[in-house]
Amino acid sequence: MNRTRMMLAAAAAGLLMAALPAGTAVADDRGAGLADTCSQYRTSWSGAVIAWEDTWCTGTRLGIAYGNDVNWSDGSGPFQGSDNDRASSVMNNGTWDANGLVHVAFYRDAGGGDAWRNGYACLKQGQYVGNLAQRVFVGGGGGEVADAISSHQWVTFEACSSWM
């Protein structure tokens, strides 16, 4: 690629990034054309965490949670039964909380409390990940986050050391 084309490509990329809302997390550029699929939900479900079965916030919406759900495979809470281990994209539309609980920790295991021991990954307030593939849990041997989330809870920034 010649120098002029490289400069034009860099300028176009800069314009694209400037057009994205502040704080938007985009998993990778392979889905750049699909990123708008997630962006359309950025003002929906204020205060909630949302998960979809397919990438880029498409397919079956697995659940919308305004609180914690320590077991996505049980019959209670916003995520139930077959929602366990199916999320391929997630969004955090969290709002202000007096205790700072505006970030979401996703866990490989159910059960709350010690669930973090077998792997977790956090999502900052106002962000989404359109494709969880290649995102990994920290702790408990790691492993890919896609199709492996079993619970979540709202946490403070200090509670997380692994961000998606």
Side-chain angles (χ1 to χ4, degrees), residues 35-90:
D36 286 340
T37 307
C38 290
S39 293
Q40 71 181 337
Y41 297 118
R42 295 196 42 84
T43 58
S44 303
W45 309 296
S46 180
V49 59
I50 309 101
W52 290 266
E53 182 176 19
D54 296 332
T55 59
W56 300 104
C57 309
T58 62
T60 301
R61 190 176 54 239
L62 301 175
I64 302 169
Y66 294 91
N68 301 331
D69 192 334
V70 297
N71 190 343
W72 284 20
S73 64
D74 64 8
S76 65
F79 293 88
Q80 297 185 8
S82 63
D83 294 339
N84 189 60
D85 295 338
R86 286 179 52 204
S88 294
S89 55
V90 292

Side-chain angles (χ1 to χ4, degrees), residues 120-139:
Y120 76 94
C122 294
L123 186 60
K124 292 180 182 176
Q125 177 185 22
Q127 294 190 334
Y128 65 83
V129 177
N131 186 350
L132 290 171
Q134 301 177 5
R135 303 297 173 127
V136 294
F137 290 111
V138 66

